[in-house]
Amino acid sequence: MNKEVLRALSYGVYAVSTKDGERDAGCIANSIMQVTYDTVAVSMNHNNFTHECMTKNKKFAISILGEDADQNTIAFLGFMSGRDREKFDKIECLEKDGLKIIKNSVGYLICDIIDKLETETHTIFIGKILDGDYVDSSKPPMTYAYYHKVKKGNSPKNAPTYLG
Ligand SMILES: Cc1cc2nc3c(=O)[nH]c(=O)nc-3n(C[C@H](O)[C@H](O)[C@H](O)COP(=O)(O)O)c2cc1C
């Protein structure tokens, strides 16, 4: 099998945020899709701290990152774990419904977890969209292809799209 063909599937790049009690938690995810007019799906690795917090908190936010997304935002949220450190300390955020929204983003969605589907490594959380708006509608949203080709970014093992 030529795993490279999977790179031809299109995605965006997002920050998922949730809560660990009073603490903020979250990570980068590309595997987000709109399922129905008011639901989205997020595929979250079982080992991510964000997975544990989403399971407990039952609510999450999605920040839609733009092409000008800060490399630090992706480095902190996408390559470090909230188990070991505060990840949002150095990232400029807005707050909506008690959840962190990346200030330098295109927009956001606030969701309640209403269902989930298990795979061997990831849980697909289904979120009902409660609210959403643009933060800056003039920014082009970043595609996963742009992240790889232009930003020269890569993905860690817990990303479903990790190719090894
Ligand atoms: C571009 C990119 C895309 C990613 N996509 C996903 C994803 O869709 N699902 C997932 O579980 N992890 C994904 N990750 C990996 C998590 O962001 C990463 O494992 C993070 O460190 C988890 O942090 P946590 O332990 O605080 O939850 C992605 C990372 C990057 C950089």
Side-chain angles (χ1 to χ4, degrees):
M1 147 122 193
N2 181 0
K3 287 188 182 167
E4 288 291 328
V5 71
L6 291 167
R7 284 266 160 88
L9 293 173
S10 299
Y11 309 94
V13 181
Y14 309 95
V16 174
S17 58
T18 185
K19 285 281 190 190
D20 171 32
E22 291 302 304
R23 244 181 107 221
D24 294 295
C27 71
I28 298 294
N30 66 278
S31 57
I32 290 180
M33 66 180 278
Q34 187 170 358
V35 181
T36 67
Y37 75 101
D38 67 348
T39 54
V40 288
V42 183
S43 174
M44 192 57 64
N45 192 286
H46 294 159
N47 297 324
N48 285 353
F49 183 58
T50 308
H51 181 284
E52 194 181 314
C53 299
M54 284 173 84
T55 304
K56 282 194 249 163
N57 189 48
K58 305 219 177 325
K59 195 169 169 182
F60 65 96
I62 296 168
S63 298
I64 303 162
L65 300 184
E67 288 180 353
D68 67 345
D70 212 328
Q71 275 305 112
N72 271 346
T73 302
I74 295 175
F76 283 127
L77 296 182
F79 291 89
M80 293 172 192
S81 181
R83 267 193 200 92
D84 319 318
R85 57 170 301 149
E86 296 299 327
K87 294 170 87 175
F88 287 90
D89 270 7
K90 294 187 174 62
I91 303 171
E92 248 195 298
C93 288
L94 310 169
E95 195 139 319
K96 298 280 173 194
D97 241 356
L99 298 173
K100 293 283 186 197
I101 305 297
I102 308 300
K103 193 171 176 199
N104 182 22
S105 68
V106 178
Y108 67 90
L109 298 171
I110 308 286
C111 303
D112 257 350
I113 296 172
I114 55 163
D115 212 342
K116 59 183 187 171
L117 175 72
E118 287 302 337
T119 73
E120 202 180 321
T121 53
H122 289 69
T123 301
I124 300 162
F125 290 103
I126 308 292
K128 187 173 172 73
I129 302 167
L130 306 176
D131 193 13
D133 204 350
Y134 281 108
V135 175
D136 182 349
S137 61
S138 70
K139 283 185 197 300
M142 179 152 64
T143 64
Y144 197 51
Y146 184 93
Y147 173 72
H148 279 288
K149 287 194 184 131
V150 181
K151 295 265 199 187
K152 306 285 180 215
N154 53 18
S155 308
K157 244 186 178 145
N158 289 356
T161 46
Y162 177 72
L163 290 183

